[in-house]
């Protein structure tokens, strides 16, 4: 996860290629999105601190839930682009992949992909319940 996050420090997970704005606006927009992406990645990685390794629990709240959600999406997009492009959308999203049949170097990448999807699902459930209760 850290390696993929590091690869996104200077590039967007989804580049702004076909946006019809002038060059200056494109650069400003790209820079702002990159700052937001870096912030989300930093917040996501910070969840796995000493407390996590002692308790096994991660913490998110209304303030960091959305940036963490976006960071998970950015990492998953980068993993798909860089490591998992031979897998179809259906098999990746359903998790219907035989891990034992994957080459050894692909196993941790796939497991991380599924782990990040699980974090996204938990955050969305939390946000949905917050909206319903609020």
């Amino acid at each position: 996860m850290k390696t993929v996050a590091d690869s996104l420090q200077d590039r967007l997970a989804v580049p702004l290629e076909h946006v019809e704005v002038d060059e200056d606006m494109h650069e400003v927009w790209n820079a702002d999105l990159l700052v937001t992406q870096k912030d989300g990645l930093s917040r996501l990685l910070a969840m796995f601190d000493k407390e996590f390794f002692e308790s096994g629990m991660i913490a998110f709240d209304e303030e960091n839930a959305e940036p963490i959600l976006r960071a998970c999406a950015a990492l998953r997009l980068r993993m798909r682009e860089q490591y998992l492009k031979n897998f179809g959308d259906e098999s990746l999203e359903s998790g219907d992949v035989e891990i034992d049949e994957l080459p050894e170097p692909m196993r941790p990448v796939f497991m991380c992909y599924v782990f990040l999807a699980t974090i996204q699902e938990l955050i969305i459930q939390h946000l949905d319940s917050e909206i319903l209760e609020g």
Side-chain angles (χ1 to χ4, degrees), residues 6 17 21 60 70 76 79 83 96 103 114 119 124 128:
D6 289 345
E17 294 176 358
V21 294
F60 60 88
R70 286 192 307 261
R76 291 179 73 218
M79 287 175 179
Y83 302 103
D96 189 25
V114 171
I119 291 174
I124 290 168
D128 282 348

Side-chain angles (χ1 to χ4, degrees), residues 15 28 47 54 82 94 96 123:
V28 169
M47 289 186 345
E54 289 174 355
Q82 191 170 7
S94 68
D96 189 25
I123 291 172

Side-chain angles (χ1 to χ4, degrees), residues 85-104:
K85 56 182 137 189
N86 293 333
F87 295 92
D89 290 343
E90 179 65 29
S91 60
L92 284 175
E93 293 308 312
S94 68
D96 189 25
V97 173
E98 291 296 326
I99 295 186
D100 294 339
E101 295 177 13
L102 291 175
E104 184 60 39

Side-chain angles (χ1 to χ4, degrees), residues 1-125:
M1 189 163 51
K2 174 90 170 79
T3 301
V4 176
D6 289 345
S7 76
L8 291 172
Q9 289 302 306
D10 297 323
R11 66 174 291 210
L12 291 174
V14 179
L16 296 175
E17 294 176 358
H18 302 291
V19 179
E20 294 185 24
V21 294
D22 66 45
E23 189 174 327
D24 290 337
M25 181 61 174
H26 187 272
E27 287 180 32
V28 169
W29 193 9
N30 196 58
D32 285 348
L33 288 172
L34 190 55
V35 166
T36 301
Q37 178 178 282
K38 285 180 182 181
D39 176 61
L41 290 169
S42 175
R43 289 175 189 234
L44 172 64
L45 294 175
M47 289 186 345
F48 304 101
D49 58 7
K50 181 180 178 198
E51 182 180 327
F52 168 75
F53 288 105
E54 289 174 355
S55 70
M57 297 180 67
I58 57 173
F60 60 88
D61 55 30
E62 290 121 17
E63 184 180 318
N64 68 2
E66 192 173 327
I68 291 170
L69 189 64
R70 286 192 307 261
C72 288
L75 288 174
R76 291 179 73 218
L77 286 168
R78 181 71 174 143
M79 287 175 179
R80 287 177 81 143
E81 173 191 309
Q82 191 170 7
Y83 302 103
L84 303 171
K85 56 182 137 189
N86 293 333
F87 295 92
D89 290 343
E90 179 65 29
S91 60
L92 284 175
E93 293 308 312
S94 68
D96 189 25
V97 173
E98 291 296 326
I99 295 186
D100 294 339
E101 295 177 13
L102 291 175
E104 184 60 39
M106 295 297 296
R107 291 177 187 175
V109 174
F110 179 74
M111 293 303 295
C112 185
Y113 185 87
V114 171
F115 175 69
L116 291 167
T118 303
I119 291 174
Q120 286 179 297
E121 290 173 11
L122 291 171
I123 291 172
I124 290 168
Q125 288 174 4

